Short mmCIF file of all heavy atoms in Angstrom, two decimals:
data_model
loop_
_atom_site.label_atom_id
_atom_site.label_comp_id
_atom_site.label_asym_id
_atom_site.label_seq_id
_atom_site.Cartn_x
_atom_site.Cartn_y
_atom_site.Cartn_z
N ALA B 1019 -8.49 15.86 5.52
CA ALA B 1019 -8.32 14.94 4.38
C ALA B 1019 -8.55 15.70 3.07
O ALA B 1019 -7.78 15.56 2.12
CB ALA B 1019 -9.30 13.77 4.50
N LYS B 1020 -9.57 16.55 3.08
CA LYS B 1020 -9.88 17.33 1.87
C LYS B 1020 -8.69 18.25 1.54
O LYS B 1020 -8.28 18.36 0.40
CB LYS B 1020 -11.15 18.16 2.09
CG LYS B 1020 -11.64 18.87 0.84
CD LYS B 1020 -12.98 19.55 1.07
CE LYS B 1020 -13.46 20.24 -0.20
NZ LYS B 1020 -14.77 20.91 0.00
N GLY B 1021 -8.10 18.79 2.62
CA GLY B 1021 -6.96 19.69 2.43
C GLY B 1021 -5.78 18.99 1.78
O GLY B 1021 -4.98 19.62 1.07
N THR B 1022 -5.68 17.69 1.99
CA THR B 1022 -4.54 16.97 1.37
C THR B 1022 -4.99 16.34 0.05
O THR B 1022 -4.32 15.47 -0.49
CB THR B 1022 -4.01 15.86 2.30
OG1 THR B 1022 -5.09 14.93 2.54
CG2 THR B 1022 -3.54 16.41 3.64
N GLY B 1023 -6.20 16.73 -0.41
CA GLY B 1023 -6.56 16.34 -1.77
C GLY B 1023 -7.56 15.20 -1.89
O GLY B 1023 -7.93 14.82 -3.00
N PHE B 1024 -8.01 14.64 -0.76
CA PHE B 1024 -8.95 13.52 -0.86
C PHE B 1024 -10.37 14.05 -1.08
O PHE B 1024 -10.73 15.14 -0.65
CB PHE B 1024 -8.90 12.65 0.41
CG PHE B 1024 -7.62 11.85 0.53
CD1 PHE B 1024 -6.71 12.11 1.53
CD2 PHE B 1024 -7.33 10.85 -0.40
CE1 PHE B 1024 -5.53 11.39 1.63
CE2 PHE B 1024 -6.15 10.12 -0.31
CZ PHE B 1024 -5.25 10.39 0.69
N ASP B 1025 -11.20 13.24 -1.75
CA ASP B 1025 -12.59 13.61 -2.06
C ASP B 1025 -13.49 13.13 -0.93
O ASP B 1025 -13.63 11.93 -0.69
CB ASP B 1025 -12.98 12.96 -3.39
CG ASP B 1025 -14.41 13.33 -3.83
OD1 ASP B 1025 -15.36 12.98 -3.08
OD2 ASP B 1025 -14.56 13.98 -4.88
N VAL B 1026 -14.12 14.07 -0.22
CA VAL B 1026 -14.89 13.72 0.99
C VAL B 1026 -16.09 12.84 0.66
O VAL B 1026 -16.39 11.87 1.35
CB VAL B 1026 -15.35 15.03 1.70
CG1 VAL B 1026 -16.41 14.74 2.77
CG2 VAL B 1026 -14.15 15.75 2.31
N LYS B 1027 -16.76 13.15 -0.47
CA LYS B 1027 -17.97 12.39 -0.84
C LYS B 1027 -17.62 10.91 -1.05
O LYS B 1027 -18.30 10.01 -0.58
CB LYS B 1027 -18.59 12.99 -2.10
CG LYS B 1027 -19.99 12.47 -2.42
CD LYS B 1027 -20.57 13.19 -3.63
CE LYS B 1027 -21.85 12.52 -4.14
NZ LYS B 1027 -22.31 13.08 -5.42
N VAL B 1028 -16.50 10.67 -1.73
CA VAL B 1028 -16.08 9.29 -2.00
C VAL B 1028 -15.60 8.63 -0.71
O VAL B 1028 -15.85 7.45 -0.46
CB VAL B 1028 -15.00 9.26 -3.10
CG1 VAL B 1028 -14.50 7.84 -3.34
CG2 VAL B 1028 -15.57 9.83 -4.41
N MET B 1029 -14.93 9.40 0.17
CA MET B 1029 -14.52 8.84 1.47
C MET B 1029 -15.75 8.38 2.26
O MET B 1029 -15.76 7.31 2.84
CB MET B 1029 -13.75 9.89 2.28
CG MET B 1029 -12.32 10.11 1.86
SD MET B 1029 -11.53 11.43 2.85
CE MET B 1029 -11.36 10.56 4.45
N ARG B 1030 -16.80 9.23 2.24
CA ARG B 1030 -18.03 8.85 2.98
C ARG B 1030 -18.61 7.56 2.41
O ARG B 1030 -19.10 6.70 3.15
CB ARG B 1030 -19.08 9.97 2.88
CG ARG B 1030 -18.82 11.18 3.73
CD ARG B 1030 -20.02 12.13 3.72
NE ARG B 1030 -19.68 13.46 4.21
CZ ARG B 1030 -19.51 13.76 5.50
NH1 ARG B 1030 -19.68 12.83 6.41
NH2 ARG B 1030 -19.19 14.99 5.85
N LYS B 1031 -18.54 7.42 1.09
CA LYS B 1031 -19.08 6.22 0.45
C LYS B 1031 -18.28 4.99 0.91
O LYS B 1031 -18.84 3.95 1.24
CB LYS B 1031 -19.01 6.39 -1.07
CG LYS B 1031 -19.87 5.40 -1.82
CD LYS B 1031 -20.18 5.89 -3.24
CE LYS B 1031 -21.16 4.97 -3.93
NZ LYS B 1031 -21.54 5.43 -5.29
N ILE B 1032 -16.97 5.13 0.98
CA ILE B 1032 -16.12 4.02 1.42
C ILE B 1032 -16.45 3.64 2.87
O ILE B 1032 -16.57 2.46 3.22
CB ILE B 1032 -14.63 4.38 1.27
CG1 ILE B 1032 -14.26 4.41 -0.21
CG2 ILE B 1032 -13.76 3.42 2.07
CD1 ILE B 1032 -12.86 4.05 -0.58
N ILE B 1033 -16.66 4.66 3.71
CA ILE B 1033 -16.98 4.39 5.13
C ILE B 1033 -18.31 3.66 5.23
O ILE B 1033 -18.47 2.69 5.98
CB ILE B 1033 -16.97 5.70 5.93
CG1 ILE B 1033 -15.54 6.22 6.07
CG2 ILE B 1033 -17.61 5.51 7.31
CD1 ILE B 1033 -15.42 7.63 6.59
N ARG B 1034 -19.30 4.05 4.39
CA ARG B 1034 -20.60 3.34 4.38
C ARG B 1034 -20.40 1.89 3.92
O ARG B 1034 -20.91 0.95 4.51
CB ARG B 1034 -21.59 4.03 3.44
CG ARG B 1034 -22.39 5.14 4.05
CD ARG B 1034 -23.66 5.47 3.25
NE ARG B 1034 -23.39 5.71 1.83
CZ ARG B 1034 -22.99 6.88 1.33
NH1 ARG B 1034 -22.78 7.90 2.14
NH2 ARG B 1034 -22.79 7.03 0.02
N MET B 1035 -19.58 1.71 2.89
CA MET B 1035 -19.36 0.36 2.35
C MET B 1035 -18.67 -0.53 3.39
O MET B 1035 -18.99 -1.69 3.54
CB MET B 1035 -18.53 0.45 1.06
CG MET B 1035 -19.28 1.06 -0.11
SD MET B 1035 -18.17 1.55 -1.47
CE MET B 1035 -17.89 -0.05 -2.25
N ARG B 1036 -17.72 0.06 4.13
CA ARG B 1036 -16.97 -0.74 5.13
C ARG B 1036 -17.88 -1.19 6.27
O ARG B 1036 -17.60 -2.14 6.98
CB ARG B 1036 -15.78 0.07 5.67
CG ARG B 1036 -14.60 0.12 4.72
CD ARG B 1036 -13.58 1.17 5.08
NE ARG B 1036 -13.04 1.07 6.41
CZ ARG B 1036 -11.79 0.64 6.71
NH1 ARG B 1036 -10.99 0.20 5.75
NH2 ARG B 1036 -11.37 0.64 7.97
N LYS B 1037 -18.99 -0.48 6.44
CA LYS B 1037 -19.95 -0.89 7.50
C LYS B 1037 -20.80 -2.07 7.03
O LYS B 1037 -21.39 -2.79 7.81
CB LYS B 1037 -20.89 0.27 7.85
CG LYS B 1037 -20.31 1.26 8.86
CD LYS B 1037 -21.36 2.31 9.24
CE LYS B 1037 -20.68 3.54 9.89
NZ LYS B 1037 -21.34 4.81 9.49
N GLN B 1038 -20.91 -2.22 5.70
CA GLN B 1038 -21.80 -3.25 5.15
C GLN B 1038 -21.15 -4.63 5.20
O GLN B 1038 -19.93 -4.75 5.03
CB GLN B 1038 -22.12 -2.91 3.70
CG GLN B 1038 -23.52 -2.41 3.44
CD GLN B 1038 -23.80 -2.30 1.95
OE1 GLN B 1038 -22.95 -1.79 1.19
NE2 GLN B 1038 -24.94 -2.77 1.50
N ASP B 1039 -21.96 -5.66 5.37
CA ASP B 1039 -21.47 -7.04 5.28
C ASP B 1039 -21.01 -7.26 3.84
O ASP B 1039 -21.71 -6.89 2.90
CB ASP B 1039 -22.63 -7.99 5.63
CG ASP B 1039 -22.37 -9.41 5.18
OD1 ASP B 1039 -21.55 -10.07 5.84
OD2 ASP B 1039 -22.90 -9.81 4.12
N LEU B 1040 -19.83 -7.85 3.67
CA LEU B 1040 -19.20 -7.98 2.34
C LEU B 1040 -20.12 -8.69 1.34
O LEU B 1040 -20.35 -8.20 0.23
CB LEU B 1040 -17.86 -8.73 2.45
CG LEU B 1040 -17.05 -8.79 1.14
CD1 LEU B 1040 -16.68 -7.38 0.66
CD2 LEU B 1040 -15.77 -9.63 1.34
N ASN B 1041 -20.71 -9.81 1.76
CA ASN B 1041 -21.58 -10.55 0.83
C ASN B 1041 -22.80 -9.72 0.42
O ASN B 1041 -23.18 -9.66 -0.73
CB ASN B 1041 -22.04 -11.88 1.47
CG ASN B 1041 -20.88 -12.82 1.65
OD1 ASN B 1041 -19.92 -12.77 0.86
ND2 ASN B 1041 -20.90 -13.61 2.72
N GLU B 1042 -23.36 -9.07 1.43
CA GLU B 1042 -24.54 -8.24 1.17
C GLU B 1042 -24.19 -7.16 0.14
O GLU B 1042 -24.91 -6.89 -0.80
CB GLU B 1042 -24.98 -7.59 2.49
CG GLU B 1042 -26.35 -6.95 2.50
CD GLU B 1042 -26.51 -6.03 3.73
OE1 GLU B 1042 -26.55 -6.59 4.84
OE2 GLU B 1042 -26.51 -4.78 3.54
N ARG B 1043 -23.00 -6.59 0.30
CA ARG B 1043 -22.56 -5.51 -0.60
C ARG B 1043 -22.38 -6.07 -2.01
O ARG B 1043 -22.83 -5.49 -2.98
CB ARG B 1043 -21.26 -4.90 -0.09
CG ARG B 1043 -20.71 -3.80 -1.00
CD ARG B 1043 -19.79 -2.85 -0.26
NE ARG B 1043 -18.59 -3.48 0.24
CZ ARG B 1043 -17.45 -3.65 -0.45
NH1 ARG B 1043 -17.41 -3.33 -1.73
NH2 ARG B 1043 -16.38 -4.20 0.11
N LYS B 1044 -21.76 -7.25 -2.10
CA LYS B 1044 -21.52 -7.85 -3.43
C LYS B 1044 -22.87 -8.14 -4.11
O LYS B 1044 -23.04 -7.85 -5.30
CB LYS B 1044 -20.73 -9.17 -3.27
CG LYS B 1044 -19.36 -8.99 -2.66
CD LYS B 1044 -18.30 -8.70 -3.69
CE LYS B 1044 -16.92 -8.52 -3.06
NZ LYS B 1044 -16.01 -7.71 -3.89
N GLU B 1045 -23.81 -8.68 -3.33
CA GLU B 1045 -25.13 -8.99 -3.91
C GLU B 1045 -25.80 -7.73 -4.44
O GLU B 1045 -26.35 -7.69 -5.53
CB GLU B 1045 -26.03 -9.63 -2.83
CG GLU B 1045 -25.94 -11.14 -2.75
CD GLU B 1045 -26.63 -11.63 -1.48
OE1 GLU B 1045 -27.74 -11.12 -1.17
OE2 GLU B 1045 -26.04 -12.50 -0.79
#
Side-chain angles (χ1 to χ4, degrees):
Chain B
K1020 187 173 181 180
T1022 60
F1024 290 113
D1025 182 298
V1026 167
K1027 192 176 169 189
V1028 177
M1029 283 177 72
R1030 285 189 196 284
K1031 196 159 186 178
I1032 289 211
I1033 290 168
R1034 273 200 308 276
M1035 290 165 79
R1036 282 165 56 106
K1037 277 185 198 143
Q1038 252 188 316
D1039 163 75
L1040 186 61
N1041 293 330
E1042 194 195 291
R1043 178 157 64 86
K1044 298 272 180 204
E1045 270 168 43

